[in-house]
Amino acid sequence: MSSADLWARALKVIPGGVNSPVRAMKAVGLDEPLFARRGEGAYLEDVDGRRYVDWVLSWGPLIFGHADPETVEAVIEAARDGTTFGAATEREVELAEEIMGAVPSVEMVRLVSSGTEAAMTALRLARAVTEREPLVRFAGGYHGHADPFLSEAGSGVRTLGIEAAAEGRVVPYNDLEAVEGVIEGAACVFVEPVAGNVGVVLPAPGFLEGLRGLCDESGALLVFDEVITGFRVARGGAQERYGVLPDLTVLGKIVGGGLPLAAVGGRAELMERLAPAGDVYQAGTLSGNPLATAAGLSVLRRLTPAVYDELEEKGRRIDALGEHGRFERVGAMATLFVDDYPVLFRHLLGRGIYLAPSQNEAMFLSTAHGDNEIDRTIDAVAAFFS
């Protein structure tokens, strides 16, 4: 079955032909999406048999690359005992302990199935704890597709040019003065500690520290959305890397080892407000399901300092892309900002290199990317600008 045939079928049964909007690739000038068939290591293969060096890696979860043998074996072993129970399991406890041991601010964890769900839970919890409704967030930040988070969001919303009504006092990222002007009476400040949905944008010196101070002064909770940065820019996420601790943390992607799993965590006295311990209701049939927890444990237990040293070394090599545009990188996530990204994207795709089909997204390094894949990418980008 060719990609053209699949696209024609998909348009008849799926809105827009895709189950997540940015996959349509309209923003980079393609008439139909890439239909993936399989992945291995640093490579993705489409249904037409074309093979690509993959810098998307399912938007970040695959820190050990596609079809990582240890992760696959862990999932298979778990599946043999049952795919879901709707009951508590040992792996849920183990994964919560693993997260708590890694992320500095987290004393208790609630597992859920998606980053959107985790962000919704964090917001509901913050509102209950503070007995306030307003939230402060940042233009271009993306915290999932729940109503409160969508206006002026990044990622697919910005890529598609969609106008979305939402709640929130929206201010520019890295602008502490703007936050100071709107934080009074807010339940929380919701922030990606490293912006990853307008391309990668690093926090300015003192920005995260300033947010912590403003929240302490105003009584608002500080919520770090570390769905992207968690376990990627450091084992303990951006809060470990920058030394600023939030009240609540939203995690996803790597924490599930490539399967649908996310989490919200924070100080115990806050987290114990969640039902059944407290009065803030949250539930999910597949929360902490056996396959996702097995995958998450397999990945998190292998994220040693040596892994991050390796990723940083690879990152320093890929920094050569900065010769051709503004290149922003922190740890194993980066973005090359150029004037005509869609043309660059198509140029690279034609040469077997798959970048995110949006300038508003990041490229992700993995342990599976070797010197050959990095050099090939650098050479292909250089050829575009020559």
Side-chain angles (χ1 to χ4, degrees), residues 11-33:
L11 287 170
K12 295 177 182 178
V13 293
I14 301 171
V18 291
N19 283 307
S20 190
V22 75
R23 297 178 192 174
M25 299 193 179
K26 298 294 186 184
V28 288
L30 297 186
D31 294 328
E32 60 187 52

Side-chain angles (χ1 to χ4, degrees), residues 118-361:
M120 290 166 56
T121 301
L123 177 58
R124 180 180 297 169
L125 183 56
R127 285 173 162 171
V129 167
T130 62
E131 299 183 341
R132 302 171 179 178
E133 284 296 310
L135 72 146
V136 178
R137 56 194 182 81
F138 297 89
Y142 182 69
H143 311 291
H145 63 266
D147 286 348
F149 299 117
L150 279 183
S151 67
E152 299 185 53
S155 193
V157 176
R158 176 171 293 200
T159 298
L160 297 172
I162 291 173
E163 294 294 329
E167 308 165 35
R169 303 166 179 177
V170 184
V171 295
Y173 186 74
N174 274 331
D175 190 337
L176 282 174
E177 187 175 341
V179 177
E180 189 172 9
V182 299
I183 197 171
E184 185 65 31
C188 61
V189 174
F190 232 100
V191 63
E192 292 178 275
V194 176
N197 286 281
V198 283
V200 173
V201 180
L202 277 62
F207 175 62
L208 298 178
E209 293 87 347
L211 290 181
R212 179 69 274 171
L214 289 171
C215 286
D216 290 341
E217 292 169 9
S218 68
L221 298 186
L222 180 58
V223 183
F224 274 10
D225 184 337
E226 296 227 44
V227 167
I228 294 177
T229 55
F231 298 96
R232 178 158 285 283
V233 302
R235 177 167 168 79
Q239 58 194 265
E240 176 191 316
R241 191 176 186 107
Y242 294 102
V244 178
L245 302 188
D247 299 296
L248 295 172
T249 299
V250 176
L251 296 166
K253 297 188 185 293
I254 289 173
V255 78
L259 272 70
L261 187 143
V264 57
R267 299 201 316 272
E269 69 267 24
L270 303 178
M271 295 300 296
E272 285 178 334
R273 288 289 300 272
L274 289 174
D279 59 342
V280 180
Y281 192 73
Q282 183 278 330
T285 299
L286 295 176
S287 294
N289 74 84
L291 305 189
T293 50
L297 284 167
S298 172
V299 169
L300 267 54
R301 286 170 171 168
R302 288 181 283 147
L303 292 177
T304 64
V307 168
Y308 291 101
D309 289 345
E310 177 186 346
L311 291 169
E312 185 61 35
E313 182 179 349
K314 295 174 189 290
R316 286 193 292 268
R317 287 179 59 84
I318 203 75
D319 285 346
L321 293 177
E323 297 179 13
H324 308 292
R326 185 176 128 229
F327 187 72
E328 299 285 355
R329 180 182 67 84
V330 56
M333 57 185 287
T335 300
L336 174 62
F337 294 92
V338 297
D339 291 335
D340 198 340
Y341 187 84
V343 177
L344 174 63
F345 174 87
R346 297 194 300 270
H347 165 86
L348 294 176
L349 196 70
R351 286 153 181 79
I353 297 168
Y354 178 43
L355 262 59
S358 167
Q359 178 73 93
N360 296 316
E361 300 284 356

